[in-house]
Amino acid sequence: MNRFRSRGVLSPLLALLLALAGALPVSIAQARPRIPARRAITKASQSPRPRLVLLIVVDQFRYDYLSRFGDLFGSRGIGRLMRAGASWTEANFDHVPTFTAPGHAVFMTGASPSQTGIVANEWYERETGRKVKSITDDSTMMLGGKPNEKGKSPRRLLCSTVGDELRLADGDRSKVIGISAKDRSAILPAGRRANAAYWFSTDNGNIISGTYYFEHLPEWVVRFNNRHMADALFGVRWDRLLPNEAEYLRRAGRDDVPWENLDKSSADTNFFPHVVTGGSAAPDKPFYRALDYTPFSNDLLVAFAEEAIANERLGAGDATDLLSVSFSANDYVGHRFGPYSQEAMDMTLRVDRQIGKLLDFVDSRVGLGNTIVIFTADHGASPVPEQAALLNLAGRRYQKADLLKVAEEGLQARYARKDRPATDYIQTFQNRDETEQGLLNSNFYLNRRALQRDGIDLDEAERVLGEAVLKLPGVARYFTRRQLENNSISPADPVARRVLHGFYSQRSGDVIIVYEPYAIQFDPPDDPTDPHSSATHGSPYSYDTHVPLIIMGRDFASGRYTQAAAPTDIAPTLAHVLGLEAPSCSVGRVLAEALTAARQSKVR
Ligand SMILES: [Zn+2]
């Protein structure tokens, strides 16, 4: 059912929208070969080995969205996965920070950031003195984006993925492709030996990639971009999917609330309907960025995933192919409106339908009986702090400057003398043309050269800084590099263990701060015109770590499993059922409780 109505818009746009929602076989459908009739999941149509592994990630999909909204799901999407798949009720990430890049690096490696090296979305690189993204790669170029733009690649990912192992095992006959609106979410699950990763450009509305994978974009991707499907969405109106607001009021509260504090750059309201123009008169960068904050960006992703399946013939051969699709728009919307908002609820209901469309397509092309589908998320989200505070939870919001101030005061109180001002003990880094103080991802980076110059012991300086920051109300704990490198962390301490699993010596800072529950610190965006967030994630607490983990496929017995599990378990489980070597850093366990009796006896 389509609730998005165009505002004085032409019928081609309506037709496109209906096609995106799967209601009309026009536009995109015209370009693809005829689809055979839908197959049931039967033994008869099964190939000797799974033909496709389909990883579906919804960015910032909290576990409790299954219970809060599950009865409103349709029968084809997440509802089908919950019914026909093996679902773990207690799957938690075991690392901090619970961010997008570290989470996406876990799924197909079976390893934590302490091994994958993907410790955050971006971090400070000591060797070059600059801020880098998890997928920055200046030795490559972008394809399809702005001209002469440096590229992105998985070179900073230190571990192999399930896709890599598939291709290593069968002489590259398997195809491995990652797709997302976000670059990191496309690149990292696919891995280093992937055939391709594709993501969305907010510069020009294209699906883009990089020279890490090939010299030119494949023909079918150029054709897809030539349709300018993003442009056709200019001025589209996002209204609630369900006709009655009462359902939203009951489950997500009022729509128009003050803590959905939109900054000016959004050019939008904090209530339905949202009209998507980015404040522009025609499609341009602000519009493409605005589109990221709507369900329509997920529609584009599904349309592109279907094109990838059709044109790359994924699941059509006798090798096992791997497709990773990560829905980013849910994260953007969650940041802007928070997890207890009508918008987050609507995004959840819509992504269920969008996943249903994708699964139906995979069923018609490959057969779900020949496919292993994994559904999970990269992290959860905490409520908007101002909303949490109203509910008597300890909601609190810090600015980077608040933390820097107490840290610098603490260092100066301990070390400053007449001949030693002690003002440069926090390392500075280059970020584009700016110099910034070394605090990122709640990691403080100390200036080792300055400390050495002044004869100050690094270990002690770490503790002095940590104690100073601890004085801020709402700061729970600090961990020093010394502690983390010398194994003085007890694995029985869950917060300490998660910090340790998120620490990679060459990339992490020297003092790592953990806040009390419901307190957040959000790093300001590099581009001051970028939207500022209301809610965020990154903590070691269950609202950020607890995610869905569902696997649907013939080797898995459907049902709910209450055993403790983690996203690190996905890769070793897949490697096991596919008969592959587990990825190089894999530390997860095989989720044996859900393997069918037939599969278990085959193992023995
Ligand atoms: Zn996020």
Side-chain angles (χ1 to χ4, degrees):
M1 178 168 163
N2 287 281
R3 294 287 300 165
F4 39 87
R5 276 171 250 119
S6 35
R7 195 189 36 163
V9 196
L10 336 143
S11 59
L13 168 55
L14 194 61
L16 173 69
L17 291 174
L18 289 167
L20 284 170
L24 273 183
V26 296
S27 177
I28 317 151
Q30 278 168 356
R32 58 169 105 100
R34 281 200 78 76
I35 297 165
R38 185 171 296 148
R39 253 167 288 176
I41 308 181
T42 59
K43 279 239 166 351
S45 62
Q46 277 186 1
S47 55
R49 53 184 296 164
R51 290 211 243 126
L52 182 66
V53 173
L54 175 63
L55 172 67
I56 299 174
V57 181
V58 180
D59 204 311
Q60 203 191 110
F61 194 110
R62 288 166 51 121
Y63 178 83
D64 69 348
Y65 289 175
L66 296 179
S67 40
R68 281 175 66 200
F69 312 124
D71 59 312
L72 300 175
F73 291 163
S75 61
R76 319 301 301 165
I78 303 171
R80 162 156 53 190
L81 295 167
M82 289 168 77
R83 203 178 57 247
S87 178
W88 281 265
T89 60
E90 311 302 324
N92 282 275
F93 279 100
D94 207 23
H95 68 248
V96 278
T98 36
F99 288 161
T100 295
H104 278 79
V106 165
F107 305 130
M108 291 293 112
T109 62
S112 290
S114 55
Q115 296 163 288
T116 64
I118 306 298
V119 293
N121 293 332
E122 44 190 20
W123 56 82
Y124 293 126
E125 192 171 63
R126 283 193 186 273
E127 309 92 85
T128 57
R130 60 180 194 144
K131 184 152 125 184
V132 295
K133 290 188 182 349
S134 62
I135 32 72
T136 303
D137 184 353
D138 288 352
S139 72
T140 65
M141 298 302 287
M142 215 79 102
L143 290 172
K146 279 191 295 194
N148 302 320
E149 198 181 351
K150 294 271 195 269
K152 311 279 170 65
S153 90
R155 284 214 172 91
R156 290 170 205 276
L157 175 65
L158 306 175
C159 306
S160 73
T161 59
V162 173
D164 292 341
E165 296 297 335
L166 270 169
R167 286 171 60 77
L168 287 170
D170 68 8
D172 288 338
R173 284 188 306 121
S174 294
K175 274 192 180 171
V176 176
I177 294 178
I179 296 172
S180 179
K182 292 184 185 174
D183 45 16
R184 53 191 180 275
S185 310
I187 291 169
L188 295 169
R192 298 180 63 127
R193 200 158 174 76
N195 298 75
Y198 299 101
W199 57 96
F200 181 69
S201 165
T202 52
D203 287 317
N204 59 13
N206 278 348
I207 298 283
I208 62 174
S209 187
T211 56
Y212 178 85
Y213 301 103
F214 25 58
E215 277 177 42
H216 307 282
L217 284 179
E219 191 80 11
W220 66 267
V221 179
V222 175
R223 280 201 309 272
F224 184 90
N225 284 334
N226 285 342
R227 283 183 223 147
H228 302 291
M229 287 168 63
D231 292 4
L233 289 163
F234 185 78
V236 66
R237 186 175 138 135
W238 172 22
D239 217 327
R240 295 179 192 84
L241 178 74
L242 303 182
N244 193 343
E245 196 193 342
E247 204 65 65
Y248 292 81
L249 285 166
R250 198 159 68 80
R251 297 172 192 246
R254 277 183 47 212
D255 189 10
D256 177 6
V257 283
W259 52 82
E260 293 176 2
N261 186 16
L262 274 79
D263 56 289
K264 286 196 197 81
S265 68
S266 75
D268 196 358
T269 57
N270 63 346
F271 49 86
F272 283 110
H274 299 279
V275 179
V276 189
T277 63
S280 305
D284 61 358
K285 186 171 175 148
F287 162 67
Y288 299 128
R289 204 161 54 189
L291 196 59
D292 267 345
Y293 286 76
T294 73
F296 312 115
S297 130
N298 285 345
D299 287 326
L300 289 176
L301 200 69
V302 170
F304 185 76
E306 291 180 356
E307 287 293 301
I309 292 167
N311 288 283
E312 297 290 348
R313 298 179 47 74
L314 297 180
D318 58 348
T320 304
D321 298 327
L322 190 147
L323 175 65
S324 162
V325 181
S326 177
F327 293 89
S328 306
N330 298 66
D331 180 65
Y332 291 118
V333 169
H335 277 293
R336 181 168 286 173
F337 302 101
Y340 299 97
S341 65
Q342 294 200 6
E343 285 85 354
M345 171 172 166
D346 200 65
M347 284 301 291
T348 306
L349 300 185
R350 285 178 182 272
V351 83
D352 163 62
R353 273 66 168 177
Q354 287 154 336
I355 289 171
K357 184 168 184 290
L358 179 61
L359 290 180
D360 278 348
F361 186 83
V362 168
D363 198 21
S364 68
R365 302 294 296 222
V366 183
L368 285 174
N370 295 318
T371 306
I372 300 176
V373 183
I374 303 102
F375 172 71
T376 189
D378 53 347
H379 53 72
S382 65
V384 179
E386 292 75 14
Q387 182 185 19
L390 277 180
L391 297 169
N392 273 346
L393 300 167
R396 195 185 288 274
R397 182 192 296 276
Y398 301 104
Q399 305 300 327
K400 176 174 175 173
D402 304 336
L403 287 131
L404 278 169
K405 185 164 178 286
V406 289
E408 279 167 345
E409 283 171 0
L411 289 167
Q412 279 169 37
R414 169 72 181 82
Y415 295 118
R417 293 191 313 232
K418 229 188 192 136
D419 60 327
R420 192 173 74 183
T423 51
D424 61 350
Y425 290 174
I426 293 174
Q427 182 75 49
T428 57
F429 292 89
Q430 239 7 72
N431 181 26
R432 299 172 189 196
D433 302 328
E434 310 253 305
T435 302
E436 55 187 50
Q437 296 279 87
L439 168 60
L440 187 58
N441 313 312
S442 304
N443 279 225
F444 279 96
Y445 291 72
L446 285 169
N447 184 347
R448 293 170 190 167
R449 198 171 302 163
L451 293 167
Q452 204 171 24
R453 175 198 69 207
D454 291 349
I456 289 168
D457 179 57
L458 179 63
D459 298 347
E460 193 205 56
E462 287 170 1
R463 287 195 304 276
V464 168
L465 189 158
E467 291 297 327
V469 175
L470 209 50
K471 292 198 181 98
L472 262 187
V475 171
R477 303 174 68 172
Y478 73 90
F479 296 88
T480 64
R481 168 173 291 274
R482 171 79 170 200
Q483 276 178 300
L484 296 162
E485 284 180 344
N486 291 7
N487 292 324
S488 55
I489 295 280
S490 163
D493 174 344
V495 171
R497 188 182 67 233
R498 285 173 179 169
V499 171
L500 184 64
H501 287 170
F503 180 82
Y504 186 74
S505 187
Q506 292 90 314
R507 298 175 182 179
S508 296
D510 301 304
V511 183
I512 296 155
I513 305 299
V514 175
Y515 310 107
E516 290 170 0
Y518 303 107
I520 63 168
Q521 188 244 314
F522 197 82
D523 292 309
D526 283 347
D527 179 347
T529 68
D530 273 352
H532 295 250
S533 287
S534 302
T536 196
H537 46 85
S539 82
Y541 304 116
S542 55
Y543 50 72
D544 283 340
T545 62
H546 192 197
V547 290
L549 200 181
I550 302 179
I551 308 181
M552 183 178 80
R554 59 189 174 184
D555 292 317
F556 296 88
S558 62
R560 284 157 65 86
Y561 297 88
T562 55
Q563 288 89 338
T568 44
D569 301 335
I570 296 169
T573 303
L574 286 175
H576 176 80
V577 299
L578 296 171
L580 298 172
E581 186 59 60
S584 55
C585 309
S586 170
V587 293
R589 70 182 178 90
V590 174
L591 295 165
E593 60 271 28
L595 293 179
T596 56
R599 160 56 66 178
Q600 289 187 353
S601 63
K602 233 186 287 174
V603 175
R604 278 184 216 117

